[in-house]
Amino acid sequence: MLRKFLTATGVAMVLAAGAHSGVALARPAAVQAIDEARAEAAMARVETVSGLVNQSSSSLAGINARLLANPDDAEGMRALSESLERARVQAADAAAKLQALPAWKGDTDGDRLLDKSTKDATSFAVSTAAAITELQRLVNAARAGDKAAVRQGVVVLLRNLSKMIEGQALNARSRAALMTPGSSDREMTFTQANLYDGVAAAMPYLYGQVDASSTAGKVRQAQAAAQETIAVGRKRLDAEIEADRLEFKGAPPQALTKTHQIQTDLFASLARSVEILGGMADKIEAGGERTALAQDLTAMKAEEDKQQVMVREQIALGAQMVRGAR
């Protein structure tokens, strides 16, 4: 029964962690295939990488972009410089700690994915720190009277606002390394990462920083990837449900049946999110008002909120199954 709990609720923990719910990661079923010490090390690596990615991406959150609009406001520009220095220290610390992590060794699919996610996270943190350093240079020039530096600073800042979304995609992929290869849970997690990719690609377009053609291509690519992971995930979930039905001789525990239903509903919600992403691509290709994408982002957030409700239900059911196994 405990195995069933771990398998059924693995994706719930991933989704909850991806939404900063504060729920600790449970050990997914994937790590049962390796020894206990290595399982603990893998969990620790994922938590370290995810925490440092969050530290890096959140470094931009405290920067007030509106202050750039008034470079003659000496007090405002001083405050901006101070916030940039705090952001630089935070981002540089995350980058240095990620660079210090050794390569993750191993021959399994999960090992390779975890090693790649570590490298990708490192590149992400380094680029974030570099963007903040460039912003500092431009703000210093603006304070010295360089009006062109103000415009450049706005561009650099707006182009990097998607960093927080990119960080969520990275974290989802690193957590997927702990999930069973070939499981519906893993495909669901990859779907979430693909959706983040699409939103991150659209954000600079929303703020007028990139052209339509390059943006549409990236959003379409993310949409296609998410459609594929949903299709594969649904097939694997069907197989998992049938395997459970056979194992329990046609009468699986009610909590497990409810968990499978929640997983089915989660895939349906993610599919709606993919449709919204496709609608965003349609608008970008049509060359309409960039701000129209804000409505789609609101709709996608509404779907994400629904997913979080289902995640909490799934976690509660998992806890119920654990109690029943004791």
Side-chain angles (χ1 to χ4, degrees), residues 81-105:
S81 293
E82 291 176 354
S83 66
L84 281 170
E85 177 58 18
R86 289 191 295 271
R88 184 198 64 78
V89 171
Q90 180 176 328
D93 178 70
K97 288 176 179 175
L98 281 164
Q99 287 175 311
L101 290 176
W104 183 265
K105 304 295 185 181

Side-chain angles (χ1 to χ4, degrees), residues 3 14 17-18 31 36 39 48 59 74 84 92 140 151 165 188 206 212 214 216 232 234 267 274 301 309 312:
R3 178 184 66 81
V14 168
V31 299
E36 186 73 14
T48 296
S59 64
L84 281 170
N140 289 337
R151 293 189 293 274
I165 308 298
M188 192 177 290
L206 174 63
S214 62
V232 173
R234 280 173 158 167
F267 271 121
V274 174
K301 177 62 168 60
V309 171
R312 288 192 290 271

Side-chain angles (χ1 to χ4, degrees), residues 63-325:
I63 299 174
N64 187 349
R66 291 190 296 272
L67 294 175
L68 274 171
N70 189 8
D72 296 325
D73 179 0
E75 183 62 24
M77 293 300 283
R78 183 189 62 77
L80 179 58
S81 293
E82 291 176 354
S83 66
L84 281 170
E85 177 58 18
R86 289 191 295 271
R88 184 198 64 78
V89 171
Q90 180 176 328
D93 178 70
K97 288 176 179 175
L98 281 164
Q99 287 175 311
L101 290 176
W104 183 265
K105 304 295 185 181
D107 299 324
T108 69
D109 178 73
D111 288 328
R112 288 186 290 272
L113 182 58
L114 188 49
D115 185 54
K116 184 178 185 303
S117 70
T118 300
K119 292 175 180 176
D120 289 346
T122 302
S123 297
F124 167 82
V126 168
S127 69
T128 301
I132 293 172
T133 299
E134 175 64 6
L135 269 172
Q136 283 186 302
R137 184 188 70 78
L138 292 168
V139 167
N140 289 337
R143 294 180 73 182
D146 186 345
K147 300 299 183 184
V150 176
R151 293 189 293 274
Q152 289 177 278
V154 171
V155 169
V156 171
L157 183 56
L158 291 178
R159 283 183 175 174
N160 284 279
L161 286 178
S162 61
K163 286 287 188 184
M164 286 180 275
I165 308 298
E166 293 171 21
Q168 291 300 324
L170 283 170
N171 282 346
R173 289 190 170 95
S174 68
R175 288 189 292 270
L178 296 175
M179 311 199 79
T180 306
S183 68
S184 62
D185 287 357
R186 198 185 224 199
E187 296 304 317
M188 192 177 290
T189 307
F190 281 140
T191 300
Q192 187 187 38
N194 291 329
L195 286 167
Y196 283 135
D197 286 342
V199 173
M203 290 289 283
Y205 178 81
L206 174 63
Y207 293 114
Q209 300 304 308
V210 292
D211 63 86
S213 60
S214 62
T215 303
K218 292 176 182 178
V219 175
R220 287 293 187 204
Q221 183 178 6
Q223 178 193 12
Q227 287 172 331
E228 181 178 356
T229 49
I230 285 176
V232 173
R234 280 173 158 167
K235 288 181 181 178
R236 290 175 178 172
L237 178 58
D238 287 343
E240 290 161 9
I241 292 172
E242 177 61 15
D244 285 338
R245 188 188 68 79
L246 292 174
E247 180 174 339
F248 288 100
K249 297 180 172 54
Q254 186 179 27
L256 183 58
T257 299
K258 288 182 178 178
T259 295
H260 286 323
Q261 183 58 56
I262 290 172
Q263 289 175 295
T264 300
D265 293 342
L266 276 167
F267 271 121
S269 179
L270 288 168
R272 290 192 293 272
S273 294
V274 174
E275 290 178 4
I276 295 168
L277 190 65
M280 293 170 65
D282 291 341
K283 291 178 182 178
I284 294 170
E285 290 169 345
E289 287 291 329
R290 294 173 185 258
T291 55
L293 296 184
Q295 300 172 354
D296 299 300
L297 293 174
T298 299
M300 191 171 288
K301 177 62 168 60
E303 282 299 330
E304 188 176 27
D305 289 343
K306 294 176 185 176
Q307 291 158 21
Q308 290 309 307
V309 171
M310 289 184 273
V311 163
R312 288 192 290 271
E313 292 174 354
Q314 194 171 6
I315 291 172
L317 287 169
Q320 179 182 331
M321 282 190 278
V322 168
R323 290 193 297 270

